[in-house]
Amino acid sequence: MDTQRQDVLEDLRAKITTGKLPPGSHLTERGLCAEYAISRTPIRTVLRELAAEGLVVVSPNRGVFVAEWTTTDAAEVMSIRALLEAHAAGLAAHSRSDSQLEELNRLCDRMEEIAREQKDGYRAEIAELNHELHLLILESAASPRLFNIAKDLALAPLMSGSFQYYSPDELHRSLQDHRLIVDAITHRDEHRARALMEGHLRTSYAALTRRR
């Protein structure tokens, strides 16, 4: 894939998964061509790839829309994520490197700083850093097979856009959860890391479904 098309694909994927493009948003070839200064052929390829990932749906005679997620979809993703990422957190407590720990703490610091400053678009910025943290924990588990299975679920559009729906207290709690999970990983406490990650994802899902 050429660099320009890859850049467009990654940018649209990020906008969808962080909620910048919410479910139901209409994506037109003409609008995307103008936005990215690219021709229709690569845009059509990008939209096909996003459709294959389940991030957009193509409706005959209507166009392309950001995918809607049903309650059943969300519950299934949450349950699988809770199992896989809790397992990953437990493995990470044994396998993480010092550099990975340093980066996990940096991500926590940055998210808390952004939450305090509350500049325009801060929730979307936190969501992107949240992706990085969850993917880094998966990577720190040192299980390539687990990483490949779980990484796409970690970017599922409904769950990954959840920061857009949180109340201030729920956002603060979520960031505190991150600190506790990283602390458990730091101290190689496998059981606490597992329990905290599972609780974090299930609580996040409950907050999301209430506010949606």
Side-chain angles (χ1 to χ4, degrees):
M1 179 183 292
D2 64 74
T3 301
Q4 188 179 24
R5 193 165 79 240
Q6 179 67 38
D7 289 345
V8 173
L9 175 62
E10 291 179 358
D11 188 62
L12 282 173
R13 184 188 289 129
K15 287 179 177 177
I16 293 170
T17 57
T18 59
K20 289 180 181 178
L21 282 172
S25 296
H26 187 195
L27 305 180
T28 67
E29 290 182 7
R30 178 178 296 179
L32 294 173
C33 288
E35 180 178 353
Y36 292 103
I38 192 172
S39 67
R40 288 200 173 192
T41 298
I43 285 295
R44 287 170 181 163
T45 302
V46 166
L47 291 175
R48 283 197 297 270
E49 294 196 36
L50 292 173
E53 294 175 11
L55 296 178
V56 303
V57 293
V58 180
S59 177
N61 303 318
R62 294 186 63 228
V64 180
F65 298 84
V66 175
E68 300 275 2
W69 281 64
T70 67
T71 300
T72 301
D73 292 331
E76 182 178 33
V77 168
M78 179 279 295
S79 295
I80 298 172
R81 279 194 67 186
L83 289 171
L84 295 178
E85 293 193 44
H87 180 54
L91 293 177
H94 292 288
S95 303
R96 86 297 186 279
S97 66
D98 289 343
S99 62
Q100 287 169 331
L101 272 183
E102 182 178 351
E103 179 62 11
L104 287 170
N105 279 291
R106 187 197 69 80
L107 289 168
C108 287
D109 289 342
R110 184 61 184 141
M111 282 187 277
E112 289 167 3
E113 179 184 5
I114 293 168
R116 286 194 301 270
E117 294 175 348
Q118 295 191 17
K119 296 179 181 178
D120 289 347
Y122 78 98
R123 287 176 181 262
E125 191 173 356
I126 289 174
E128 291 177 7
L129 294 172
N130 178 68
H131 290 164
E132 292 185 32
L133 182 137
H134 280 266
L135 289 175
L136 182 53
I137 290 173
L138 287 170
E139 182 183 322
S140 301
S143 173
R145 186 174 290 107
L146 175 61
F147 181 86
N148 288 329
I149 293 171
K151 65 181 175 63
D152 291 334
L153 289 174
L155 296 174
L158 181 72
M159 291 296 291
S160 59
S162 60
F163 285 104
Q164 304 297 332
Y165 299 96
Y166 283 174
S167 69
D169 285 345
E170 288 165 342
L171 177 58
H172 178 68
R173 185 223 66 240
S174 183
L175 299 185
Q176 282 188 318
D177 284 352
H178 291 158
R179 281 291 186 191
L180 293 172
I181 292 166
V182 172
D183 180 73
I185 292 172
T186 299
H187 291 91
R188 300 192 184 277
D189 190 335
E190 175 184 353
H191 297 296
R192 187 160 65 98
R194 284 174 180 268
L196 287 168
M197 178 62 83
E198 181 173 1
H200 170 63
L201 290 172
R202 293 189 184 279
T203 302
S204 297
Y205 173 74
L208 171 62
T209 52
R210 282 197 304 272
R211 299 191 71 82
R212 290 180 77 238

